[in-house]
């Protein structure tokens, strides 16, 4: 059963709305393919996998939509169509020729009912289901800011300031006191980035919702 990524505010069981599947994995991250085209999670979203070896938590840092066949790019089709939707209506095969994927950085895991905000001993398994975290899960995970160290120290293709700020903005929205949460996050970042004022300034400047 697929469902939109706006389900993050839902309290229902995660097992009822898996929306993507792991197709590539390493100790530090995984790539997941969405079941529905363009049903991509927002930048900075907290997502999770389920099953062995553990329940993994990860922050989305990049997303793409491209052709399924490597090296073969989609071609423009809308010159004579009135809307973008009309392109897909006149060429329904496009839904099977394109795929939407996203990359997520692992920032924690749960084993034996213990929530850990550091890398798991093993990566996610291929074909593991991926779920958007509920509001309650986001609130629980963000009770500790230890995961920020992973985001700060990782070299990714997308600017770290954008990813960190996006993640904290979304997490703050799930808190009883969003401003207090952001202040605490700012202090944690100040400690982690004490030797990188420009990076710290870039992140803090993007923390407003």
């Amino acid at each position: 059963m697929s469902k939109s990524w706006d389900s993050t505010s839902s309290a229902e069981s995660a097992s009822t709305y898996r929306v993507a599947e792991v197709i590539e994995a390493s100790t530090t991250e995984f790539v997941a393919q969405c079941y529905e085209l363009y049903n991509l999670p927002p930048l900075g979203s907290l997502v999770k996998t389920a099953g062995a070896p553990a329940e993994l938590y990860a922050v989305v840092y990049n997303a793409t939509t491209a052709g399924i066949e490597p090296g073969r790019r989609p071609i423009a089709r809308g010159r004579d169509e009135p809307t973008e939707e009309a392109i897909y209506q006149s060429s329904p095969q496009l839904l099977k020729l394109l795929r939407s994927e996203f990359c997520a950085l692992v920032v924690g895991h749960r084993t034996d009912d213990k929530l850990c905000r550091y890398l798991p001993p093993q990566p996610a398994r291929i074909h593991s289901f991926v779920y958007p975290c509920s509001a309650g899960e986001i609130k629980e995970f963000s009770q500790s800011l230890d995961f920020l160290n992973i985001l700060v120290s990782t070299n990714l293709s997308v600017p770290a300031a954008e990813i960190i700020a996006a993640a904290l903005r979304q997490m703050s929205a799930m808190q009883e006191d969003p401003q207090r949460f952001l202040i605490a996050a700012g202090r944690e970042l100040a400690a982690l980035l004490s030797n990188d004022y420009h990076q710290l300034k870039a992140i803090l400047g993007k923390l407003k919702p």
Side-chain angles (χ1 to χ4, degrees), residues 3-187:
K3 201 168 183 178
S4 172
W5 284 98
D6 60 12
S7 298
T8 52
S9 61
S10 174
E12 63 183 293
S13 172
S15 63
T16 66
Y17 57 92
R18 59 177 183 258
V19 286
E21 191 171 315
V22 174
I23 59 172
E24 183 178 333
S26 69
T27 300
T28 57
E29 61 184 285
F30 59 79
V31 179
Q33 181 177 340
C34 297
Y35 292 129
E36 293 186 7
L37 194 64
Y38 301 123
N39 189 24
L40 290 159
L43 180 70
S45 297
L46 186 68
V47 300
K48 72 174 187 177
T49 68
E55 186 176 77
L56 306 187
Y57 290 85
V59 171
V60 175
Y61 73 84
N62 195 27
T64 60
T65 297
I68 290 179
E69 297 184 26
R72 184 174 180 179
R73 298 178 64 183
I75 60 174
R77 295 172 178 266
R79 181 169 182 170
D80 299 319
E81 301 290 356
T83 64
E84 293 180 15
E85 290 75 13
I87 298 174
Y88 291 92
Q89 292 172 358
S90 62
S91 304
Q93 73 276 11
L94 290 177
L95 295 177
K96 296 182 179 180
L97 297 176
L98 301 173
R99 63 181 177 184
S100 294
E101 301 175 356
F102 64 89
C103 303
L105 182 69
V106 178
V107 292
H109 63 285
R110 189 192 298 272
T111 54
D112 300 326
D113 293 327
K114 180 181 180 182
L115 181 56
C116 306
R117 296 165 184 83
Y118 52 83
L119 294 179
Q122 295 180 326
R125 290 185 177 181
I126 302 299
H127 299 302
S128 294
F129 298 140
V130 183
Y131 310 87
C133 287
S134 67
E137 289 169 328
I138 295 173
K139 187 175 181 180
E140 178 189 16
F141 188 84
S142 58
Q143 285 180 355
S144 170
L145 296 168
D146 289 347
F147 67 91
L148 285 176
N149 184 56
I150 297 177
L151 293 176
V152 166
S153 59
T154 301
N155 185 22
L156 300 173
S157 57
V158 179
E162 298 289 342
I163 302 164
I164 295 170
L168 291 175
R169 287 195 304 267
Q170 293 187 49
M171 290 180 179
S172 70
M174 305 302 168
Q175 311 299 319
E176 295 178 1
D177 189 339
Q179 188 61 27
R180 181 179 180 182
F181 172 81
L182 290 176
I183 291 174
R187 290 173 177 168

